[in-house]
Amino acid sequence: MGTNRESPRCRANDGGVVARSIRGGGLALLAVLVSCASDPAGDSAKSAAAEYDHVVVFVPDDEFRRWLSGFLTPAAALETRHEGQGTRGRYFLLLDSFIELLSLEDEAEARANHAAFGSDYVERWSGDADVSPFAVGLTVATLEPADAPFDATLYASKDGAGRYLMARGNADLASPLIYATGRDRAYRRRESISEVEAIEDPVRREEVRLYLTHPAGIERLTRVVLTVPAGQGDNANARMIDAPGRAEVVEGDAHHLLLECDGGGSGRTMEFSGTPPVASRY
């Protein structure tokens, strides 16, 4: 809007991070953030399942980015204009996942893309209490809709640079939007910051180290909890967010997102006072 096989064509999960539109040295940086791994086809039931990759927040302005930047370092070089979608992505990287902030840049372009995307996604910036302002990026073994682990259609960007599976359940704006990329675009998870030393290019190595080093000392996004209004917790999209210990959906009074970092070990919780409704615990 991520058993492994090395490939020179391997690219990072775009979750909207489309390599062609990244400025300057961003493309080279993106290459070191990708997991070049995918399960061999038919290896196991797990290889066919959709796996959690990252969370997306639809932001109406720049206030949430400023708030998040108080304790996480923005990956400025990866800021991306999504051609044909009318949106722009900004990113915060952690060892095990990333957070994408998606802003609406060209409403007319976005509305012209509704049919291809399979939903009126512009409404996710409306602030309507009945509309979810969140999305979840998954990875799958195949982008063939007939073989997908959920009911989906294939979305291809106009220039062919991006291909995603879009859940048919996205038409229900009360549900979090769900989409998936191939395993070759999965975000590369690292066990520790020391793994950055393996990056050969010294410039890229220091860039990645910078983006994985945060003011609050945070390292991992250990759990994402999406709250949906009562009655929405058992619909098709909610059931797809099934990554025990990493991402889950619960029912509550209203849409809300909890970003739990490092297991919430410090016991500190901060609630963003604007829109969308997000809290961080670390």
Side-chain angles (χ1 to χ4, degrees):
M1 276 217 165
T3 19
N4 305 333
R5 292 177 295 187
E6 292 291 328
S7 166
R9 300 182 60 188
C10 188
R11 294 179 293 177
N13 181 308
D14 54 16
V17 184
V18 181
R20 58 184 161 73
S21 59
I22 294 176
R23 302 191 308 269
L27 178 55
L29 173 61
L30 195 63
V32 302
L33 296 172
V34 65
S35 167
C36 296
S38 57
D39 291 326
D43 179 63
S44 64
K46 182 179 179 182
S47 70
E51 297 180 4
Y52 173 79
D53 191 68
H54 66 280
V55 66
V56 181
V57 182
F58 292 77
V59 293
D61 51 41
D62 205 36
E63 292 305 307
F64 181 66
R65 183 195 63 80
R66 292 173 184 162
W67 180 80
L68 204 58
S69 296
F71 49 95
L72 294 178
T73 302
L78 294 182
E79 183 177 322
T80 307
R81 171 70 159 86
H82 306 145
E83 302 297 337
Q85 299 176 30
T87 61
R88 181 174 295 275
R90 294 175 175 86
Y91 307 90
F92 292 81
L93 312 180
L94 296 104
L95 290 175
D96 59 343
S97 188
F98 67 95
I99 302 165
E100 177 177 2
L101 308 190
L102 194 65
S103 58
L104 181 62
E105 189 161 275
D106 186 328
E107 183 174 343
E109 184 179 44
R111 289 194 181 280
N113 192 48
H114 276 179
F117 235 52
S119 69
D120 296 337
Y121 63 96
V122 166
E123 299 306 314
R124 294 187 183 272
W125 286 280
S126 68
D128 187 327
D130 294 328
V131 176
S132 173
F134 308 116
V136 170
L138 308 173
T139 64
V140 291
T142 175
L143 292 178
E144 293 298 328
D147 298 322
F150 57 90
D151 192 13
T153 59
L154 181 66
Y155 172 81
S157 60
K158 293 180 180 178
D159 63 1
R163 298 173 72 241
Y164 322 104
L165 287 179
M166 308 300 296
R168 291 186 185 276
N170 293 342
D172 179 3
L173 296 175
S175 299
L177 184 145
I178 302 290
Y179 72 103
T181 56
R183 295 275 196 262
D184 62 329
R185 292 192 171 196
Y187 183 71
R188 180 174 181 175
R189 300 172 189 169
R190 291 178 165 86
E191 290 300 317
S192 72
I193 193 71
S194 65
E195 292 182 27
V196 171
E197 297 303 326
I199 300 172
E200 293 183 2
D201 185 320
V203 175
R204 303 303 164 213
R205 182 168 61 243
E206 292 313 307
E207 261 189 310
V208 174
R209 190 196 312 279
L210 170 64
Y211 294 153
L212 292 176
T213 304
H214 302 291
I218 291 168
E219 295 186 335
R220 294 175 175 80
L221 181 60
T222 45
R223 192 166 67 111
V224 168
V225 181
L226 291 126
T227 300
V228 297
Q232 291 291 327
D234 193 40
N235 62 29
N237 278 21
R239 289 196 299 272
M240 277 186 274
I241 306 172
D242 182 22
R246 296 205 70 210
E248 61 186 275
V249 172
V250 299
E251 291 191 356
D253 295 331
H255 290 289
H256 184 270
L257 172 65
L258 172 66
L259 303 170
E260 184 180 87
C261 300
D262 295 337
S266 74
R268 183 176 184 184
T269 300
M270 299 191 301
E271 189 84 33
F272 177 56
S273 60
T275 301
V278 180
S280 176
R281 179 187 300 150
Y282 61 90

